[in-house]
């Protein structure tokens, strides 16, 4: 799968689809209209890249990383954790629990390639053009692009989609906040007008837009009821992608079937892709039950997020005799911040000294040893794993110049001290850390009375609820609880069902939760939704911590309006450093690879793409010979 900002925002993976420029399937020819526009000074592009050059020309035959002879057929059964009660992606951020598989039924305008950084090729769109000042972009739709009901994909569909997402989805409202409007300027041309020039990634990120069928959403369902794009639904959606929903059981199963007459089937970049006839997603509320289903060959492929399970749960005969393959795939395509997140909307977490004290109470080294079998490393950056973007050492060069311009708005340590997390792992270190935490809490106005931490002025006890939806995190929170109680905090640990959890997050009704923010190799407009002041008050946004900082807002703008790669890296490092020194979160851990387990009935290309992780299931296929051998075993 490709990791793009859109996928990281959504928290779900959709394999890239990247058609080449052409007037028809596989031709690569430039239409007369394109030639006319070029004569008028517009440079039409079959692909867009934040780094300028693209690897594949307009007439390329296929991506290098696919098997052009991959067979079509077979099915793959995968795991989804939680539940679902909604197929409407427009309201996935604020209503219901979305079925992640539904993303596969849609085509965006552009799709990410798997062997390039921040480079996208046309999907619904055959080409795009924008001026030197990045003040707008025009996308031209492919004439052969169709919905699954045979209706053409139109410019009206694109404008309808942007309006719907901006109006009803907080995340995309922030992500596309600089997109002033989308205009239909021809039967197949859509112009996105930006509210200011200079935002160099906007022409590309509007290409990530999931395009919806306007005629379907403005129509009626099988019972004559008018559809509502602002409401949840379990009606099978009309899409334009390589798959459509075949059948489902609400909250339990979603089965997608390959569209065998898909309009984009013969495009060069679809060679060797979308090879399975069926993609089946089985939902489990309990990861332990999901593992047992995998062991019983009820599931074909499993992503393993638990270090304990990876170390202990795969000791069964099918692994020993190689019927089940365990494999790790390197992650070169993204960074991450995962952390305990105190809710600053609650006054008790508003002081950075309190938040820093919470970090001193977390003995990562002991947790790593006892619960994770020593597999993890501590996160030290909001872009952990994306080494080029991580703040290291003391600020220098462009980064220092950026920070100097706001010296009075950021913590003094930004300029004088390299950020580090407290280190535990032995009784002496833990005692020193807790002493430092107690000192910070006293400075912040708290004291211990009768073994309880209280506000020195009001006498109110300092209580914390550690809230989660994942039973696996309960044991980690229980390990965090004793040192917090030694400091005098009153601690409760609570695990609730996913729908309750989502509702509480949307209403900011929590003390501390676990948050995770994926980062692409080219950060940009999504940073507003992660850390921006406006997002702190927007229900459903990713700003869980409630960060409201003029300095952070300015740094986000520096990232977004970076003029080149050097400027982007410097601004990102500055943002990272200031986020760290405000102690907004208690960083957790990272693992640089994707852990997978699979029953050995699939084939894959000899060399996987550098930025595609496992590439499963997009460029894999069902291997009939392997499956037959497995059946005989």
């Amino acid at each position: 799968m490709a990791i793009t900002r859109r996928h990281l925002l959504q928290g779900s993976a959709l394999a890239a689809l990247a058609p080449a420029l052409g007037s028809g399937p596989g031709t690569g020819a430039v239409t007369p209209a394109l030639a006319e526009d070029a004569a008028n000074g517009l440079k039409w592009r079959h692909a867009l890249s934040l780094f300028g050059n693209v690897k594949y020309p307009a007439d390329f035959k296929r991506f290098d990383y696919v098997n052009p002879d991959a067979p079509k057929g077979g099915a793959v059964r995968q795991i989804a954790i939680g539940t679902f009660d909604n197929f409407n992606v427009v309201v996935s951020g604020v209503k219901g629990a979305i079925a992640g598989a539904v993303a596969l039924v849609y085509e965006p305008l552009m799709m990410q390639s798997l062997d390039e950084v921040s480079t996208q090729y046309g999907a619904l769109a055959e080409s795009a053009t924008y001026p030197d000042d990045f003040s707008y972009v025009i996308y031209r739709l492919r004439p052969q692009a169709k919905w699954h009901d045979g209706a053409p994909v139109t410019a009206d569909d694109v404008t309808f989609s942007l309006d719907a997402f901006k109006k009803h989805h907080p995340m995309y409202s922030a992500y596309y906040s600089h997109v002033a409007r989308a205009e239909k300027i021809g039967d197949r041309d859509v112009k996105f007008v930006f509210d200011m020039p200079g935002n160099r990634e906007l022409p590309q990120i509007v290409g990530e837009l999931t395009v919806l069928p306007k005629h379907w959403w403005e129509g009626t369902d099988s019972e004559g009821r008018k559809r509502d794009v602002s409401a949840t639904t379990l009606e099978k959606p009309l899409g334009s992608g390589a798959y459509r929903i075949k059948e489902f059981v609400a909250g339990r199963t979603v089965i997608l079937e390959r569209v065998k007459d898909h309009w984009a089937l013969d495009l060069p970049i679809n060679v060797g892709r979308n090879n399975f006839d069926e993609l089946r997603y089985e939902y489990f509320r309990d990861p332990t039950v999901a593992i047992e289903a995998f062991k019983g060959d009820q599931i074909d492929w499993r992503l393993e997020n638990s270090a304990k399970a990876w170390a202990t749960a795969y000791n069964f005969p099918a692994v020993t005799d190689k019927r089940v393959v365990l494999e790790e795939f390197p992650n070169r395509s993204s960074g991450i911040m995962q952390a305990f997140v105190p809710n600053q909307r609650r006054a008790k977490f508003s002081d950075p000294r309190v938040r820093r004290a919470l970090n001193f109470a977390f003995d990562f080294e002991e947790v790593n040893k006892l619960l994770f079998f020593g597999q993890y490393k501590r996160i030290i950056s909001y872009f952990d794993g994306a080494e080029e973007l991580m703040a290291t050492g003391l600020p220098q060069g462009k980064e220092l110049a950026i920070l100097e311009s706001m010296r009075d708005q950021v913590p003094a340590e930004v300029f004088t001290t390299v950020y580090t997390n407290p280190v535990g792992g032995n009784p002496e270190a833990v005692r020193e850390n807790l002493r430092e935490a107690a000192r910070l809490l006293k400075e912040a106005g708290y004291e211990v009375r009768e073994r309880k931490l209280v506000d020195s002025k009001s006498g109110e006890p300092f209580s914390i609820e550690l809230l989660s939806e994942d039973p696996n995190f309960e044991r980690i929170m229980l390990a965090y609880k004793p040192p917090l109680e030694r400091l005098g905090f009153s601690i409760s640990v609570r695990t609730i069902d996913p729908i309750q959890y989502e509702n509480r997050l949307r209403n900011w009704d929590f003390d501390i939760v676990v948050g995770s923010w994926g980062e692409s190799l080219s950060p940009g407009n999504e940073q507003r939704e992660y850390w921006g002041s406006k997002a702190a008050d927007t229900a459903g946004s990713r700003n869980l911590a409630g960060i409201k900082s003029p300095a952070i807002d300015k740094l986000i703008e520096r990232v977004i309006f970076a003029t080149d790669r050097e400027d982007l890296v410097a601004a990102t490092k500055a943002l990272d450093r200031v986020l760290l020194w405000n102690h907004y979160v208690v960083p957790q851990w990272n693992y640089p690879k994707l852990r997978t387990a699979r029953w050995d009935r699939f084939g894959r290309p000899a060399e996987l793409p550098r930025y595609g992780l496992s590439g499963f299931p997009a460029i894999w296929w069902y291997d009939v010979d392997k499956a037959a051998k497995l059946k005989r075993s």
Side-chain angles (χ1 to χ4, degrees), residues 528-544:
R528 281 201 199 94
E529 211 265 338
Y530 286 179
W531 332 113
S533 296
K534 183 178 179 181
D537 295 324
T538 304
S541 86
R542 297 290 304 280
N543 189 347
L544 297 177

Side-chain angles (χ1 to χ4, degrees), residues 257-327:
E257 64 179 350
R258 186 167 61 86
V259 180
K260 296 183 179 179
D261 61 348
H262 186 225
W263 65 269
L265 181 66
D266 297 324
L267 289 173
I269 55 70
N270 275 343
V271 173
R273 295 177 42 81
N274 304 317
N275 301 313
F276 292 100
D277 279 349
E278 281 192 1
L279 304 177
R280 184 180 185 115
Y281 297 86
E282 298 288 353
Y283 277 75
F284 297 86
R285 292 179 183 268
D286 188 334
T288 303
V289 177
I291 291 177
E292 294 305 313
F294 174 79
K295 289 180 180 180
D297 198 8
Q298 302 302 304
I299 297 295
D300 295 306
W301 175 279
R302 173 170 170 77
L303 298 179
E304 184 53 74
N305 296 319
S306 167
K308 178 183 178 182
W310 190 244
T312 64
Y314 294 91
N315 250 345
F316 58 100
V319 174
T320 305
D321 61 24
K322 306 299 184 184
R323 288 178 293 146
V324 165
V325 179
L326 306 183
E327 188 169 4

Side-chain angles (χ1 to χ4, degrees), residues 356 391-395 413-421 577 581:
R356 178 65 168 166
T392 56
L394 293 175
E413 295 90 341
V414 162
F415 299 95
T416 62
T417 311
V418 176
Y419 177 87
T420 58
N421 290 306
R577 198 178 300 272
W581 275 111

Side-chain angles (χ1 to χ4, degrees), residues 85-228:
D85 61 4
N86 178 33
F87 287 143
N88 181 5
V89 294
V90 171
V91 296
S92 61
V94 290
K95 296 179 181 179
I98 191 72
V102 74
L104 291 165
V105 310
Y106 296 110
E107 295 281 11
L109 293 169
M110 305 283 280
M111 273 293 189
Q112 177 85 21
S113 64
L114 299 179
D115 57 353
E116 300 170 87
V117 175
S118 300
T119 303
Q120 297 171 331
Y121 294 78
L124 288 174
E126 67 179 9
S127 58
T129 185
Y130 55 84
D132 291 340
D133 67 356
F134 306 102
S135 59
Y136 68 85
V137 65
I138 300 172
Y139 277 94
R140 176 157 290 163
L141 298 174
R142 296 181 183 276
Q144 72 269 36
K146 290 181 172 57
W147 300 103
H148 293 154
D149 65 357
V153 178
T154 68
D156 287 329
D157 293 324
V158 179
T159 60
F160 169 80
S161 302
L162 179 70
D163 292 343
F165 278 105
K166 288 192 68 175
K167 182 176 181 180
H168 301 296
H169 200 298
M171 181 183 74
Y172 288 111
S173 178
Y175 195 43
Y176 293 132
S177 60
H178 279 307
V179 183
R181 63 188 182 277
E183 303 172 347
K184 174 183 176 181
I185 59 172
D187 290 342
R188 295 191 288 118
D189 290 355
V190 180
K191 183 178 184 179
F192 295 88
V193 180
F194 309 140
D195 63 1
M196 64 181 73
N199 192 331
R200 67 192 309 270
E201 76 165 3
L202 273 182
Q204 192 165 334
I205 69 169
V206 295
E208 298 172 358
L209 179 69
T210 297
V211 179
L212 308 169
K214 179 182 179 182
H215 71 284
W216 189 83
W217 278 106
E218 292 185 345
T220 57
D221 63 19
S222 59
E223 298 181 5
R225 294 172 299 196
K226 194 174 188 312
R227 297 185 180 97
D228 182 358

Side-chain angles (χ1 to χ4, degrees), residues 355-356 359-360 362 365 378-381 391-394 413-414 416-424 433 436 440 576-577 580-583 585-587:
R355 303 192 298 266
R356 178 65 168 166
N359 197 351
F360 273 99
F362 181 49
E365 288 70 24
R378 189 86 191 268
I379 284 177
I380 57 171
S381 167
T392 56
L394 293 175
E413 295 90 341
V414 162
T416 62
T417 311
V418 176
Y419 177 87
T420 58
N421 290 306
V423 177
N433 287 341
E436 179 62 14
L440 289 166
D576 185 28
R577 198 178 300 272
L580 288 168
W581 275 111
N582 275 287
H583 308 297
V585 301
V586 178

